[in-house]
Amino acid sequence: MIKTSFADAAGRALEGIRAEGRYRTFVPLARQAGAFPAARLHGRTITVWCSNDYLGMGQHPVVLEAMHEALETYGAGAGGTRNISGTTQAHTNLEVELASLHCQESALLFTSGYVANEAALTSLGKLLPDTVIFSDAGNHASMIHGIRQAGVDKRIFRHNDVEHLEELLQQVGNRPKLIAVESVYSMTGSIAPLVEIVRLARHYEALLYVDEVHAVGLYGAEGGGIGQALGLDGQIDIVQGTLGKAYGLMGGYIAGRSVLVDYARSTAAPFIFTTAIPPVVAAGALASVQYLRRSGRERFIHRQRVLALKNALREAGVPFRDGDSHIIPVMIGDAVLCKKVSDTLLQKQGFYVQPINYPTVPRGTERLRVTVTPQHSEANIQELAHALGMLVGVKKTMAAA
Ligand SMILES: Cc1ncc(COP(=O)(O)O)c(C=O)c1O
């Protein structure tokens, strides 16, 4: 009986999600190394327009070669948690490289960027019991969960509003403070005013934690992120990043002062009680990070492609949020229409852009989150802009239907 009630409740909840037009379906792609951003889907060739493999490093020969070699050297899995036989030289070499990339004393790997945020913010947040955490209203779910689990006081400041942040900082006197922000916000493409935030953190003696997940590999002379691009190397207390987006692999990390990183290593349950990422992944990530430190070519072409796509969308009359970064949200504002536009693009044109719905974004702000890579051609860009223009541009054919 009780089991049936669980199943009934799950069924009803799913019906509700479907009725709101935000039921999520997988698109099972057959990615093809060497052909990205083309992929196979149900026997057809399609073009992917929503990958976070921003630079196509997931198929880069340097990365693949390092992974083949690591597979032969280490075998498949890590064989344990980091503390119990799961640490290899591939892991420690990558941590040394990441610390150096961010001009920090140490770095620590986690199984994903999500886990890194949740674990590090929980651990550091509750280190001093009277701490207040100041969190940007646009922060990612992983940061929100980490902050919540820290169980200390928090203040949410309006997105990227440094005046509001300062107002809130002034209200808490000399209690320990931690400011948590992203550098590039993943759903709007906006960039944080990091110079100002660093100044406030210094002035109010707050620990500054910056999620550079959507910036590492892409910004800064060596791909160190927005902090590096703005000359803030070493001025951010904890930099958090992922290996799963511009670096083309998976895994997350934090980098910062040794004593703080070591504290997270020694106390964060999501670090301690889980199997380490496979050494083959760590070796591939190391190759990717090292490659993008010395080569600016991919970043250069990427920037050009982003500008070209924004121009093409503008010409086609497509409404998008121009947030200074590479992320291009095409605003639709309705879950059912968003899914319909996405389905039509895939079925008719073979363009895959995933609809983004609540709870990832607030209701009424549903969007297509378009990402372009150095591997998308000028012709690809024109075709997508044209197709989107026909569906949601000035003609608004689909919106009117
Ligand atoms: C801002 C931000 N932080 C963290 C994460 C989680 O990173 P990962 O995909 O490596 O778990 C994401 C994922 O998209 C993100 O957008």
Side-chain angles (χ1 to χ4, degrees):
M1 259 325 254
I2 291 177
K3 271 197 205 171
T4 316
S5 307
F6 275 108
D8 287 349
R12 278 195 305 278
L14 287 170
E15 259 169 46
I17 292 172
R18 275 199 188 88
E20 284 184 42
R22 57 183 186 89
Y23 181 71
R24 296 175 179 203
T25 46
F26 288 143
V27 175
L29 297 177
R31 296 189 81 192
Q32 294 178 298
F36 181 74
R40 301 283 291 169
L41 177 67
H42 306 313
R44 279 171 87 192
T45 298
I46 56 131
T47 309
V48 180
W49 280 105
C50 53
S51 176
N52 285 336
D53 187 357
Y54 293 127
L55 299 176
M57 292 305 287
Q59 63 169 20
H60 197 287
V62 165
V63 174
L64 300 192
E65 197 184 317
M67 293 183 80
H68 281 298
E69 200 182 308
L71 187 62
E72 296 306 322
T73 309
Y74 298 106
T81 67
R82 285 294 298 277
N83 288 304
I84 308 179
S85 90
T87 296
T88 66
Q89 278 174 337
H91 296 89
T92 51
N93 290 345
L94 177 54
E95 285 171 338
V96 169
E97 187 72 28
L98 290 167
S100 152
L101 171 69
H102 293 294
C103 301
Q104 299 282 3
E105 289 173 3
S106 299
L108 184 68
L109 289 172
F110 293 82
T111 43
S112 73
Y114 188 103
V115 173
N117 270 338
E118 198 179 39
L121 284 167
T122 303
S123 273
L124 296 172
K126 64 181 176 200
L127 184 55
L128 298 172
D130 208 22
T131 298
V132 185
I133 302 183
F134 298 82
S135 176
D136 186 287
N139 277 346
H140 187 255
S142 53
M143 301 174 84
I144 295 170
H145 290 168
I147 291 167
R148 200 173 286 157
Q149 279 171 166
V152 295
D153 281 354
K154 61 174 187 287
R155 305 278 189 280
I156 313 297
F157 60 95
R158 287 187 293 273
H159 177 52
N160 276 350
D161 186 337
V162 281
E163 279 173 23
H164 191 210
L165 170 60
E166 179 154 29
E167 207 180 297
L168 296 177
L169 283 164
Q170 283 166 348
Q171 288 170 7
V172 302
N174 60 3
R175 293 172 66 182
K177 304 169 194 69
L178 189 161
I179 300 173
V181 296
E182 295 176 28
S183 62
V184 174
Y185 286 84
S186 63
M187 290 299 146
T188 57
S190 58
I191 295 185
L194 275 189
V195 171
E196 274 298 289
I197 292 173
V198 164
R199 186 188 66 76
L200 287 182
R202 197 177 300 139
H203 185 78
Y204 291 92
E205 294 187 67
L207 191 79
L208 179 57
Y209 182 104
V210 180
D211 171 323
E212 291 255 34
V213 156
H214 292 279
V216 288
L218 294 174
Y219 298 90
E222 296 184 353
I226 299 290
Q228 185 177 75
L230 295 174
L232 298 172
D233 276 336
Q235 297 182 57
I236 294 168
D237 297 298
I238 302 283
V239 178
Q240 180 270 357
T242 186
L243 305 164
K245 303 194 193 292
Y247 292 125
L249 274 298
M250 72 168 295
Y253 64 91
I254 58 167
R257 278 182 60 194
S258 290
V259 66
L260 295 176
V261 173
D262 197 21
Y263 176 76
R265 188 185 75 88
S266 307
T267 60
F271 174 81
I272 297 171
F273 298 106
T274 197
T275 301
I277 59 170
V280 64
V281 171
L286 177 62
S288 189
V289 173
Q290 286 178 332
Y291 177 84
L292 288 176
R293 286 189 82 174
R294 57 176 192 269
S295 169
R297 190 172 165 273
E298 291 71 16
R299 280 186 286 280
F300 178 73
I301 301 174
H302 183 240
R303 267 196 303 278
Q304 288 186 324
R305 294 287 190 274
V306 171
L307 288 177
L309 180 55
K310 287 182 177 178
N311 284 338
L313 291 175
R314 240 176 248 119
E315 270 166 35
V318 175
F320 69 95
R321 250 167 120 148
D322 191 355
D324 296 333
S325 76
H326 60 287
I327 294 168
I328 309 178
V330 172
M331 304 310 288
I332 308 288
D334 175 85
V336 175
L337 181 61
C338 199
K339 172 96 172 68
K340 199 165 149 196
V341 173
S342 167
D343 287 349
T344 306
L345 279 174
L346 188 56
Q347 281 152 19
K348 297 230 168 101
Q349 262 83 26
F351 298 154
Y352 172 40
V353 198
Q354 185 68 30
I356 309 282
N357 293 333
Y358 177 83
T360 307
V361 294
R363 285 191 174 89
T365 70
E366 288 79 4
R367 65 201 67 182
L368 300 172
R369 179 182 177 277
V370 180
T371 56
V372 62
T373 69
Q375 289 78 22
H376 287 91
S377 66
E378 183 58 37
N380 289 150
I381 288 172
Q382 293 304 330
E383 285 160 11
L384 177 75
H386 178 73
L388 274 170
M390 296 304 287
L391 292 174
V392 296
V394 268
K395 293 187 183 167
K396 290 199 168 70
T397 314
M398 177 136 265

